[in-house]
Amino acid sequence: MTATPPTAAVSRPDRPANIQPADARGMALAVELLRAGEAVALPTETVYGLGADGLRESALAQIFEIKGRPRFDPLILHVTGLTEAEALTLDWPADARRLAAAFWPGPLTLVLPKRDAVPHLATSGLPSAALRCPAHPVMREVIARFGGPIAAPSANRFGRISPTTAAAVAAELGGAVPLVLDAGPCEVGLESTIIGWHEGEPLLLRAGGLPREAIEAITGPLRRPEAVESSPLAPGQLKSHYAPRKPLRVCEMGATTATTAPESHESTERVGLLTFAGLIPGGQARAGSFARVLDLSPSGNLAEAATRFFSALRQLDEDPAIDRIIATALPTHGLGLAINERLARAEHA
Ligand code: TXA
Ligand code: MG
């Protein structure tokens, strides 16, 4: 096999992205680049990740550089299984083992005390590391062939909408990354759920692609770090995130007042509506006042809504015929919680 040598694929933000199919040749090139200390965009079942050698400081530095990500926001290390995760961490609570047994491979990240092998840059200097065992066959194959943990944040510029397709990665990073492996749209569509422990108590650090209820069935009720006195706040959970370029406002489920309807804005403004289960703020009669309506799941299926969420938000953001976005909040159970939390942080004037 003759893969393009890494030297021919140096980072060039001014150039279009190098999107390659995630076939044997594409994966070989990805592994070659990773070995050379480069960052590459890789598909996972949650969102596309910007992957690099998880044990090499210079490779990790590339991730922060390409994303424009502050170094206080730690990275998730991706491994192929429990053994590999244990090699990087210490002191697993019984619940952590149960969760890994139940949900790995899958959209679940566990934060555990790190071993010395994990570089400080991966954890932003924290004594704990975030570990995830992804389910996507391409990601698993690349990690296995690479032979070590791959650090990977979502493959977007810092604070922007997460990418769930290779085209979305290209729109975010262009030629700043030497390779984007294309394996089609991500199935889950939301980043992993993150669980950490504080004084033996499990905490929900980030709602995500694995519903809270599924985890609580094993751990019992989860608290949020904000609710726990003396708990170090989850790093990286900045107020503004997942942000479209256009203004976005969230209106509560079932809100029918005129204040949430597009008429309450400048009448010349063209409003795009991101909704769920056919809900129209202000009532059905107002449907015609939106320039465009995207329904995440007309049948009210939260998993379907999750899969479509980021790409629908991106579509409205990129539509030249829309000035601002209104999104309806979803039901708060299942994956609705994770979608609502992303909407709340995407909201801005
Ligand atoms: O599904 C996902 O998790 C995706 C795909 C690519 O695997 N990755 C992802 O990474 O969402 P990122 O960088 O966008 O989110 C990582 C977050 C950090 O912002 C932080 O909140 C949390 O994980 N995190 C990482 N290490 C941590 C640590 N040691 N302690 C607490 N939180 C940590
Ligand atoms: Mg992210």
Side-chain angles (χ1 to χ4, degrees), residues 19-159:
I19 301 180
Q20 300 289 332
D23 54 14
R25 187 182 168 281
M27 287 194 271
L29 178 54
V31 171
E32 195 177 342
L33 287 162
L34 289 166
R35 292 215 175 108
E38 300 271 348
V40 296
L42 302 165
T44 87
E45 75 277 25
T46 57
V47 300
Y48 274 74
L50 179 61
D53 185 340
L55 300 183
R56 192 155 148 189
E57 297 258 2
S58 61
L60 297 169
Q62 297 243 11
I63 292 179
F64 289 96
E65 173 73 26
I66 292 171
K67 276 190 66 116
R69 178 176 175 124
R71 291 191 175 205
F72 60 72
D73 191 359
L75 303 172
I76 296 174
L77 295 172
H78 297 70
V79 293
T80 48
L82 184 65
T83 313
E84 291 75 10
E86 282 174 333
L88 301 168
T89 49
L90 299 156
D91 306 331
W92 284 55
D95 273 348
R97 284 184 193 288
R98 288 189 203 109
L99 290 176
F103 301 119
W104 276 3
L108 171 69
T109 294
L110 302 176
V111 175
L112 296 159
K114 80 174 194 77
R115 290 187 195 261
D116 290 343
V118 178
H120 293 297
L121 195 50
T123 66
S124 300
L126 293 170
S128 57
L131 273 296
R132 175 160 113 80
C133 174
H136 198 291
V138 170
M139 186 65 172
R140 295 183 61 77
E141 175 96 26
V142 170
I143 303 169
R145 287 204 213 169
F146 174 65
I150 293 181
S154 48
N156 50 276
R157 296 221 180 257
F158 182 70

Side-chain angles (χ1 to χ4, degrees), residues 2-344:
T2 52
T4 317
T7 43
V10 212
S11 162
R12 293 290 302 270
D14 51 320
R15 293 219 179 137
N18 174 26
I19 301 180
Q20 300 289 332
D23 54 14
R25 187 182 168 281
M27 287 194 271
L29 178 54
V31 171
E32 195 177 342
L33 287 162
L34 289 166
R35 292 215 175 108
E38 300 271 348
V40 296
L42 302 165
T44 87
E45 75 277 25
T46 57
V47 300
Y48 274 74
L50 179 61
D53 185 340
L55 300 183
R56 192 155 148 189
E57 297 258 2
S58 61
L60 297 169
Q62 297 243 11
I63 292 179
F64 289 96
E65 173 73 26
I66 292 171
K67 276 190 66 116
R69 178 176 175 124
R71 291 191 175 205
F72 60 72
D73 191 359
L75 303 172
I76 296 174
L77 295 172
H78 297 70
V79 293
T80 48
L82 184 65
T83 313
E84 291 75 10
E86 282 174 333
L88 301 168
T89 49
L90 299 156
D91 306 331
W92 284 55
D95 273 348
R97 284 184 193 288
R98 288 189 203 109
L99 290 176
F103 301 119
W104 276 3
L108 171 69
T109 294
L110 302 176
V111 175
L112 296 159
K114 80 174 194 77
R115 290 187 195 261
D116 290 343
V118 178
H120 293 297
L121 195 50
T123 66
S124 300
L126 293 170
S128 57
L131 273 296
R132 175 160 113 80
C133 174
H136 198 291
V138 170
M139 186 65 172
R140 295 183 61 77
E141 175 96 26
V142 170
I143 303 169
R145 287 204 213 169
F146 174 65
I150 293 181
S154 48
N156 50 276
R157 296 221 180 257
F158 182 70
R160 285 267 305 147
I161 303 170
S162 300
T164 53
T165 62
V169 176
E172 285 292 319
L173 304 178
V177 54
L179 173 68
V180 182
L181 270 196
D182 186 355
C186 302
E187 236 175 84
V188 175
L190 302 174
E191 298 88 344
S192 59
T193 302
I194 306 180
I195 304 292
W197 280 263
H198 179 63
E199 293 172 358
E201 181 192 8
L203 300 177
L204 178 61
L205 300 183
R206 176 175 76 183
L210 182 65
R212 176 181 191 155
E213 296 89 331
I215 296 168
E216 290 184 328
I218 290 177
T219 60
L222 291 167
R223 285 207 285 166
R224 303 304 295 251
E226 310 83 73
V228 179
E229 224 180 301
S230 84
S231 151
L233 269 186
Q237 298 290 299
L238 303 181
K239 170 101 186 55
S240 173
H241 210 129
Y242 313 110
R245 296 202 169 85
K246 292 172 188 165
L248 179 142
R249 210 157 55 80
V250 182
C251 78
E252 288 313 308
M253 189 75 167
T256 53
T257 59
T259 54
T260 58
E263 286 87 335
S264 65
H265 303 290
E266 292 287 308
S267 56
T268 52
E269 277 196 314
R270 299 160 303 171
V271 181
L273 176 68
L274 186 65
T275 190
F276 176 74
L279 188 85
I280 304 288
Q284 287 298 329
R286 292 252 164 83
S289 59
F290 292 97
R292 186 170 174 192
V293 176
L294 287 185
D295 194 326
L296 292 173
S297 174
S299 69
N301 179 323
L302 288 166
E304 180 181 45
T307 305
R308 293 183 178 170
F309 174 65
F310 281 129
S311 68
L313 190 54
R314 187 174 291 275
Q315 271 179 57
L316 292 177
D317 202 26
E318 288 171 356
D319 188 338
I322 287 170
D323 304 312
R324 61 159 58 233
I325 302 167
I326 290 181
T328 58
L330 273 65
T332 51
H333 62 267
L335 295 177
L337 174 70
I339 297 174
N340 284 346
E341 291 194 3
R342 282 157 181 72
L343 277 177

